[in-house]
Amino acid sequence: MALLVRLLAVALALALGPAATLAGPAKSPYQLVLQHSRLRGRQHGPNVCAVQKLIGTNKKYFTNCKQWYQRKICGKSTVISYECCPGYEKVPGEKGCPAALPLSNLYETLGVVGSTTTQLYTDRTEKLRPEMEGPGSFTIFAPSNEAWASLPAEVLDSLVSNVNIELLNALRYHMVGRRVLTDELKHGMALTSMYQNSNIQIHHYPNGIVTVNCARLLKADHHATNGVVHLIDKVISTVTNNIQQIIEIEDTFETLRAAVAASGLNTVLEGDGQFTLLAPTNEAFEKIPAETLNRILGDPEALRDLLNNHILKSAMCAEAIVAGLSMETLEGTTLEVGCSGDMLTINGKAIISNKDILATNGVIHFIDELLIPDSAKTLFELAAESDVSTAIDLFRQAGLGTHLSGSERVTLLAPLNSVFKDGTPPINANTKNLLLNHIIKDQLASKYLYHGQTLETLGGKKLRVFVYRNSLCIENSCIAAHDKRGRYGTLFTMDRVLTPPMGTVMDVLKGDSRFSTLVAAIQSAGLTETLNREGVYTVFAPTNEAFQAMPPGELNKLLGNAKELANILKYHVGDEILVSGGIGALVRLKSLQGDKLEVSSKNNVVNVNKEPVTEADIMATNGVVHAITSVLQPPANKPQERGDELADSALEIFRQASAFSRASQRSVRLAPVYQMLLERMKH
């Protein structure tokens, strides 16, 4: 029977494969980092760990692969040293650390791991040493000798002057009445100490750092006959107040107290959980303009967003931060939490003035600068931190500031500063109307925009949304940065001044004297109705010079044959709207003639069939016009014979073109883009 059971076990193991037989419990982050240190130290012998030591200090770290190659902790350089891994020791004459440390009781183990001061203070009490040497199972988080030495003199004096009460209680608070190894130390857990069953807060971070009441665990899992010793870098003390209670007793949080009470967030800050409060001091509130502060304090939703932006979703002790990391707030914003030497940083700024104030439900760091989230800002305030200040000045000069600072739900399409490198337009009625068409009558989010959607502006225009593979455009202007969503308004940063459509494609062509020959040709070919009706067209429009540059024989034959002319002209019209911002390396656009046009963009120059576009994105209600200086030939067309004279029908087209040109009032001289837009608006 026993043989049968063994055979069944073997068969089951074979069926499940080697993973099932070899897999053990998942390693904790601390164990993974320790394993990496072992791998880096193995060339020096068995059980040797590589550690990074911060230059100029005694701080040492077991590090992960990334930190190993960076050779930095909190931006400061480190050196690599090699020492015995926890639980092992050297043997004279042998390489590495081949011998396990002798297994002794807790009291003797304190001396072995470098916590002789803890051992000394244990000796001074009447009760604790016998307990540590006797039977049982305990865990002690033992402060290092440096930890005891760094205590303020008055604190240390009060402990050693009353060893059987104060010192005994302090040491018992570092102890747990059972064996607890690092694989059991979970992030956010609480262990019951041997002092009045007070809780000890444990945090086990993804980078392998473990903290005990925000004291860093230096060397862990030193086994003893009656328990385990973990060496920590601070003397820890009991925690009795929650975050809300600490706010209520600290004088420097007077404004914060009032804000928390007004927002109703006190229930969160006194409730269960493990949070990090980046607590703004009175000084932090005083740094922002009174008008901004009063607006936020008087707006319950903005105030809640402001305060929630100061609360991280998990407890983050300073000792756990050895490099930059992203952390999400209750408001939903991501903050970059980092360090520079001994200073903690938020979004790269050293604004934390006091750190690691421990509470029963998390940790508090004092900050001397307010972290105002986008969701609590006006459009003016959003733009102040973006590369659109020139456009914002134009809105202000045009008297449109109330739309950007009030409670009106709008979306601002703000061109980048670089758009105005050649200067800004004069403020007049046309400019104001153009700017009004950069304000959408709703607070939008770009992720919800869809192709073909229409948006209404404060100027009364309907703007179209175009979704391309790598860009999202509104008319000719494409979004150049992530949205900034404020309290009432959203800021879209745009790559150019937006051109509202001004009539149909035919209206656009007729209104521009450069296209008079093209207009006459379109009418002769019977395509006027097509380009006047509703649709989505991209027209690559040859200028008059393009027709004049054709060999007379080819031009003669083309303009004298209505069917061929219509075929050629249809080849210049794409069957969808393609603005320059939507063109990638190469786009193949189907023409009304049937063949495809090859449209590309490089160094901000658009080409169609390798011919340059001289002016892009002249917007129409049923499409977009791009000016070109050559007449495109479909792939199937063969070179035409040269003639010496124009046919009668061709001469008629040129006579019509001349008439169109004289009738047009449009100037063709070069000008900044906004000047051309304002000129178009006059027609």
Side-chain angles (χ1 to χ4, degrees), residues 358-431:
L358 209 61
T360 56
N361 56 348
V363 61
I364 299 175
H365 305 299
F366 293 25
I367 61 172
D368 54 18
E369 189 171 304
L370 214 55
L371 304 172
I372 306 177
D374 287 351
S375 59
K377 294 178 181 177
T378 66
L379 280 168
F380 271 136
E381 291 162 352
L382 290 176
E385 301 168 3
S386 303
D387 191 20
V388 294
S389 57
T390 304
I392 295 304
D393 285 341
L394 287 174
F395 282 101
R396 187 182 284 110
Q397 292 170 30
L400 302 177
T402 54
H403 297 295
L404 310 186
S405 58
S407 57
E408 189 177 4
R409 295 282 182 186
V410 295
T411 298
L412 178 66
L413 311 179
L416 287 162
N417 290 339
S418 57
V419 171
F420 302 99
K421 62 181 183 297
D422 294 328
T424 57
I427 301 300
N428 53 36
N430 284 337
T431 302

Side-chain angles (χ1 to χ4, degrees), residues 148-167:
W148 286 106
S150 66
L151 279 179
E154 62 273 15
V155 174
L156 195 56
D157 287 345
S158 68
L159 292 175
V160 297
S161 64
N162 193 348
V163 293
N164 287 318
I165 298 178
E166 296 294 339
L167 184 59

Side-chain angles (χ1 to χ4, degrees), residues 435-455:
L435 293 174
L436 280 170
N437 287 321
H438 283 71
I439 306 176
I440 308 296
K441 285 184 175 180
D442 197 3
Q443 187 175 16
L444 305 173
S446 63
K447 62 184 177 182
Y448 295 119
L449 298 181
Y450 57 88
H451 192 76
Q453 183 178 4
T454 57
L455 312 172

Side-chain angles (χ1 to χ4, degrees), residues 23-82:
K27 291 182 179 293
S28 69
Y30 171 83
Q31 290 168 328
L32 289 173
V33 168
L34 184 60
Q35 182 180 30
H36 176 261
S37 293
R38 278 181 176 274
L39 289 173
R40 296 296 179 184
R42 62 185 173 182
Q43 61 185 348
H44 294 273
N47 305 314
V48 174
C49 282
V51 297
Q52 286 186 255
K53 182 180 178 182
L54 202 57
I55 294 175
T57 73
N58 288 321
K59 283 189 170 185
K60 295 179 181 180
Y61 295 82
F62 298 120
T63 57
N64 58 30
C65 190
K66 182 178 179 180
Q67 290 161 344
W68 173 268
Y69 285 111
Q70 288 180 340
R71 293 288 201 273
K72 289 184 182 296
I73 299 291
C74 287
K76 303 298 182 182
S77 297
T78 61
V79 293
I80 304 298
S81 63
Y82 298 91

Side-chain angles (χ1 to χ4, degrees), residues 495-564:
D495 66 353
R496 65 198 70 197
V497 174
L498 184 139
T499 309
M502 306 296 292
T504 67
V505 167
M506 278 306 296
D507 293 332
V508 169
L509 295 175
K510 286 180 179 180
D512 192 325
S513 61
R514 291 176 299 172
F515 304 122
S516 57
T517 304
L518 176 61
V519 169
I522 289 171
Q523 291 180 336
S524 178
L527 295 177
T528 303
E529 184 180 348
T530 299
L531 297 180
N532 261 329
R533 67 187 178 209
E534 288 187 12
V536 285
Y537 304 117
T538 296
V539 179
F540 294 95
T543 60
N544 297 338
E545 290 77 7
F547 285 100
Q548 293 166 6
M550 291 182 68
E554 290 183 27
L555 185 60
N556 181 44
K557 188 168 184 178
L558 173 62
L559 300 180
N561 185 331
K563 183 177 180 181
E564 179 64 18

